[in-house]
Amino acid sequence: SAVISQKPSRDICQRGTSLTIQCQVDSQVTMMFWYRQQPGQSLTLIATANQGSEATYESGFVIDKFPISRPNLTFSTLTVSNMSPEDSSIYLCSAGTDIAEQYFGPGTRLTVT
Amino acid sequence: AQSVAQPEDQVNVAEGNPLTVKCTYSVSGNPYLFWYVQYPNRGLQFLLKYITGDNLVKGSYGFEAEFNKSQTSFHLKKPSALVSDSALYFCAVREGTGRRALTFGSGTRLQVQP
């Protein structure tokens, strides 16, 4: 199994600012993804983080708002840009190999005031 | 497009009784199916998966799930519930080929009463 860490674990940010969330995996993985979750609710996929190329975004999510980097097989960042209170959520990084299960980080709880 | 339905928002069961959390899915091609559990203020923990082979799969903490292709279901079961099993459970699906990201159900809150 893969162990995934995220930083920061939580943050309170002001409207209009940006926050970058880091995701580190303890082993090389094929796939990395970013999800968003409201507390107690289901997960919504934001994008697939592609190594060395632009991320693949889901409908409703755009690169200008959620820029993603993945410089190597074990690390990715998600930036939440020009934040508004609607961006308050839990952001989860996940990673896995092609045929196996995906593992999830502990999440980053973001509150925008 | 792929989708997952968890028809029960909450399941209540007495400790020691068997539990079932329901999941049905829709996907093109062969499904890869997963169950995850989430405890309060924690990330998702992997419980078990079905990729191919035996329809009954066993996972962590005594949980098991049965893949039923004709009913497109993948219900989570445990013979004897524990109070510590109380948590939020998610069923997820992905296509065997093509799209690799998981599609999650809405989640089912399991409450085990002592």
Side-chain angles (χ1 to χ4, degrees):
Chain A
S1 66
V3 176
I4 301 173
S5 59
Q6 284 185 238
K7 290 193 297 186
S9 59
R10 59 177 61 224
D11 207 341
I12 301 173
C13 301
Q14 290 192 343
R15 181 195 302 258
T17 63
S18 298
L19 175 71
T20 295
I21 303 168
Q22 298 181 6
C23 175
Q24 180 72 56
V25 188
D26 70 343
S27 59
Q28 291 190 349
V29 291
T30 308
M31 306 176 294
M32 293 184 76
F33 304 94
W34 288 96
Y35 291 85
R36 186 166 72 179
Q37 183 188 27
Q38 295 295 331
Q41 297 186 23
S42 188
L43 283 75
T44 300
L45 179 67
I46 297 172
T48 301
N50 301 309
Q51 186 206 354
S53 64
E54 191 172 291
T56 304
Y57 290 86
E58 297 298 300
S59 176
F61 297 96
V62 295
I63 188 171
D64 290 344
K65 176 66 175 177
F66 298 101
I68 289 170
S69 77
R70 187 181 173 192
N72 57 51
L73 288 174
T74 63
F75 185 79
S76 178
T77 66
L78 167 73
T79 298
V80 186
S81 303
N82 188 25
M83 289 184 283
S84 66
E86 293 71 35
D87 295 321
S88 297
S89 191
I90 301 168
Y91 292 84
L92 293 158
C93 171
S94 79
T97 60
D98 189 47
I99 61 170
E101 59 273 18
Q102 291 179 24
Y103 293 93
F104 284 80
T108 296
R109 185 180 289 264
L110 171 63
T111 302
V112 184
T113 61
Chain B
Q2 54 199 30
S3 64
V4 177
Q6 293 182 242
E8 303 154 317
D9 291 336
Q10 181 157 324
V11 169
N12 298 307
V13 64
E15 187 174 31
N17 284 0
L19 69 87
T20 299
V21 182
K22 296 180 181 178
C23 170
T24 58
Y25 67 90
S26 174
V27 68
S28 302
N30 294 323
Y32 288 7
L33 294 155
F34 305 86
W35 276 101
Y36 288 86
V37 59
Q38 187 175 38
Y39 296 97
N41 301 312
R42 304 284 294 275
L44 272 70
Q45 296 180 31
F46 168 76
L47 278 180
L48 51 80
K49 66 182 178 186
Y50 171 83
I51 303 296
T52 186
D54 194 349
N55 289 344
L56 182 65
V57 293
K58 295 185 182 297
S60 307
Y61 313 120
F63 284 93
E64 59 188 29
E66 186 164 13
F67 171 64
N68 187 316
K69 187 173 183 178
S70 63
Q71 297 185 5
T72 62
S73 67
F74 189 58
H75 301 330
L76 181 69
K77 300 181 180 183
K78 188 174 183 181
S80 178
L82 300 173
V83 172
S84 57
D85 292 330
S86 299
L88 186 57
Y89 290 79
F90 290 99
C91 181
V93 68
R94 53 161 279 201
E95 296 171 359
T97 58
R99 178 184 170 90
R100 298 294 195 267
L102 296 177
T103 297
F104 284 84
S106 55
T108 298
R109 186 164 300 281
L110 174 66
Q111 195 69 38
V112 181
Q113 285 113 9

